[in-house]
């Protein structure tokens, strides 16, 4: 490890945040406060309403955005005629507080947007997605206006783009131009919304069969930029691992939080190297490492879903994972053994030394600080390895599909 890597592993802005957490000069208290804040992250609710005409692909979208196939446990039923008028929440498999709500289909002759919105208890949603396939219709405008009038945000999703493109491919044969067709579809939606009195509408073109293509990344980035900070983090972690930018965004978001997990797990430590005394602290590390695995889709369930999505063999996907630790089940004993490794202790001391340059209190502490460096380096290296392996798995999954 050299100073460049240290600089990367512990960015200055993170150290400054840590310095602020230490302002009252109490290591144990700072660790306790941080622990509360990281546990609280799992309680942050994110409710996204998915609405649109029956058959537009709402249920399919709700499944794929949660990394699920139509037949997986917890998936929404697709391809069925909607008879219910009840909004149904679907939780993300790893982030139970991230919920996508399957709203009853609009567009029937009896459709009355305001009543519809009353029905779905508008206020609990962070934002709305209006999903439309095929033609732009008046009911979309009515719904968009009703959502706007209640001060809520909506995004317009034009779905089933794969089907449009293959229809055009047949029709236009010699002068088929994908970019131009996508532009035409986008402009048609924007114009429709604009003519209906919606200023600056946000339109995304998607295919649930090829989620990684078209505007999915742009859509994700837009949500990310427009959500408040605490919700942005959970949203990011809940994204499906089907394109490389998602992996990078997750790695960066998680890396920015390492100091908190390291501090919280080290807070109680009272003995020197390896510096961990209470089981509690180790459990926090175990849980964090498990969360990393799930966030990058390398747990068994997620790998299975990825294999199905891209029609690959799970053993084949697993075979490209390079770091042995990534394949192992993360247990208490495993983490205890990792913490005892000598090279980790050496790295821990360098981390502590480096961090103490910005956070002087760290330098003046004894055991807890070594534990901090140990935990930091363990999480940092694991995150780095797992992000690399997730990239390899995705490359293998995408082979021969583009
Ligand atoms: N070609 C294509 N078909 C889709 C897509 N999304 C959904 N479908 C199909 O459209 C039909 C209706 O989808 P569903 O999700 O049940 O629509 P909902 O009624 O709005 O919930 C199903 O047969 C889906 O398989 C897509 O992106 N591309
Ligand atoms: Mg449905």
């Amino acid at each position: 490890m050299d100073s460049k890597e240290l600089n990367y592993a512990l960015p200055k802005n993170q150290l400054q945040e840590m310095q602020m957490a230490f302002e009252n000069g109490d290591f144990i208290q700072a660790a306790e406060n941080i622990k509360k804040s990281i546990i609280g992250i799992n309680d942050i609710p994110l409710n996204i309403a998915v609405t649109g005409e029956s058959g537009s692909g709402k249920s399919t979208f709700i499944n794929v955005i949660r990394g699920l196939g139509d037949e997986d446990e917890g998936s929404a039923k697709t391809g069925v005629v909607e008879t219910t008028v009840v909004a149904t929440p679907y939780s993300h498999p790893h982030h139970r507080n991230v919920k996508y709500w399957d709203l009853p289909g609009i567009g029937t002759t009896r459709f009355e947007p305001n009543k519809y919105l009353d029905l779905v208890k508008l206020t609990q949603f962070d934002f709305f997605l209006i999903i439309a396939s095929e033609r732009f219709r008046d009911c979309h405008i009515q719904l968009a206006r009703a959502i706007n009038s209640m001060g809520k945000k909506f995004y317009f999703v034009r779905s089933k783009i794969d089907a449009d493109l293959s229809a055009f491919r047949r029709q236009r044969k010699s002068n088929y131009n994908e970019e131009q067709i996508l532009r035409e579809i986008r402009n048609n939606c924007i114009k429709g919304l604009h003519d209906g009195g919606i200023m600056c509408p946000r339109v995304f073109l998607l295919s649930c069969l090829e989620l990684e293509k078209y505007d999915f990344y742009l859509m994700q980035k837009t949500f990310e930029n427009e959500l408040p900070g605490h919700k942005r983090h959970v949203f990011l972690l809940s994204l499906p691992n089907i394109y490389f930018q998602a992996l990078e965004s997750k790695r960066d978001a998680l890396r920015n939080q390492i100091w908190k997990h390291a501090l919280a797990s080290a807070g109680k430590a009272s003995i020197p190297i390896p510096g961990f005394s209470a089981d509690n602290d180790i459990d926090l590390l175990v849980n964090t490492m498990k969360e990393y695995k799930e966030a990058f889709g390398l747990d068994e369930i997620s790998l299975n879903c990825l294999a199905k999505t891209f029609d690959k063999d799970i053993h084949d996907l697993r075979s490209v994972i390079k770091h042995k630790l990534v394949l192992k089940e993360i247990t208490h004993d495993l983490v205890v053994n990792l913490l005892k490794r000598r090279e980790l202790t050496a790295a821990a001391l360098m981390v502590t030394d480096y961090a103490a340059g910005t956070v002087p209190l760290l330098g003046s502490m004894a055991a807890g600080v070594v534990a901090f460096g140990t935990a930091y380096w363990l999480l940092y290296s694991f995150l780095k390895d797992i992000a690399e392996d997730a990239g390899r798995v995705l490359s293998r999954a995408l082979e021969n599909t583009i």
Side-chain angles (χ1 to χ4, degrees), residues 53-60 78-79 82 160 162-163 207-209:
E53 288 174 275
S54 183
S56 59
K58 298 184 297 297
S59 305
T60 309
T78 59
E82 289 162 344
K160 304 193 192 180
D162 60 293
S207 160
C208 286
L209 306 187

Side-chain angles (χ1 to χ4, degrees), residues 38-321:
I38 54 181
I39 291 170
I41 283 188
N42 294 329
D43 297 329
I44 293 170
L46 180 61
N47 290 290
I48 299 169
V50 182
T51 180
E53 288 174 275
S54 183
S56 59
K58 298 184 297 297
S59 305
T60 309
F61 174 80
I62 287 173
N63 291 338
V64 292
I65 192 134
R66 293 178 305 142
L68 299 176
D70 284 351
E71 285 161 9
D72 290 322
E73 202 185 320
S75 64
K77 275 212 177 67
T78 59
V80 289
V81 178
E82 289 162 344
T83 50
T84 167
V85 285
V86 183
T88 314
Y90 290 93
S91 283
H92 188 278
H94 302 316
H95 302 270
R96 307 305 300 174
N97 279 358
V98 175
K99 291 190 183 115
Y100 288 87
W101 292 73
D102 201 346
L103 267 44
I106 57 163
T108 64
T109 44
R110 286 181 289 116
F111 175 61
E112 291 174 68
N114 285 318
K115 277 200 184 146
Y116 179 77
L117 291 177
D118 279 347
L119 180 82
V120 298
K121 296 200 196 82
L122 184 93
T123 46
Q124 66 188 324
F125 299 119
D126 289 286
F127 59 82
F128 282 74
L129 296 178
I130 301 177
I131 301 204
S133 59
E134 300 164 16
R135 263 171 314 129
F136 186 86
R137 296 185 44 188
D138 194 46
C139 63
H140 297 130
I141 284 288
Q142 291 180 46
L143 188 58
R145 280 209 199 119
I147 296 170
N148 259 357
S149 72
M150 314 209 43
K152 290 277 171 177
K153 225 178 233 179
F154 79 88
Y155 303 92
F156 191 84
V157 173
R158 175 56 167 76
S159 67
K160 304 193 192 180
I161 290 299
D162 60 293
D164 290 88
L165 289 177
S166 57
F168 276 113
R169 216 172 277 130
R170 283 193 300 275
Q171 281 167 18
R172 297 194 182 175
K173 287 193 181 97
S174 59
N175 62 350
Y176 173 79
N177 178 335
E178 185 171 307
E179 257 179 51
Q180 190 190 332
I181 294 164
L182 295 177
R183 205 165 34 242
E184 281 170 23
I185 299 174
R186 192 190 315 279
N187 288 343
N188 174 268
C189 296
I190 293 175
K191 184 173 182 310
L193 287 159
H194 219 259
D195 290 350
I198 309 287
M199 294 300 126
C200 311
R202 250 80 60 84
V203 174
F204 302 105
L205 274 44
L206 294 190
S207 160
C208 286
L209 306 187
E210 302 164 316
L211 201 60
E212 71 282 6
K213 290 190 184 173
Y214 315 113
D215 289 345
F216 185 75
Y217 177 62
L218 187 68
M219 183 178 86
Q220 171 245 301
K221 269 285 167 216
T222 308
F223 296 170
E224 206 187 306
N225 291 338
E226 298 188 3
L227 278 168
H230 56 303
K231 297 209 181 209
R232 186 182 309 149
H233 186 76
V234 272
F235 172 71
L236 247 184
L237 295 188
S238 74
L239 286 171
N241 295 296
I242 49 166
Y243 55 105
F244 294 100
Q245 293 99 327
L247 302 180
E248 281 167 23
S249 305
K250 286 185 187 189
R251 184 200 57 208
D252 295 346
L254 289 169
R255 201 186 58 217
N256 288 345
Q257 303 283 322
I258 294 179
W259 71 269
K260 295 185 184 170
H261 291 89
L263 188 63
S265 66
K268 281 200 208 157
S270 57
I271 52 165
I273 302 167
F276 280 87
S277 56
D279 278 2
N280 238 0
D281 304 334
I282 295 187
D283 283 346
L284 204 143
L285 292 179
V286 172
N287 290 338
T288 307
M289 289 169 77
K290 279 186 183 163
E291 275 167 25
Y292 288 180
K293 235 173 130 162
E294 287 175 355
F296 286 97
L298 296 182
D299 59 298
E300 212 48 27
I301 296 174
S302 312
L303 262 182
N304 239 319
C305 290
L306 189 74
K308 269 198 237 157
T309 303
F310 291 101
D311 204 13
K312 295 276 153 64
D313 184 290
I314 185 169
H315 302 290
D316 184 40
L317 294 187
R318 212 187 279 118
S319 73
V320 298
I321 294 179

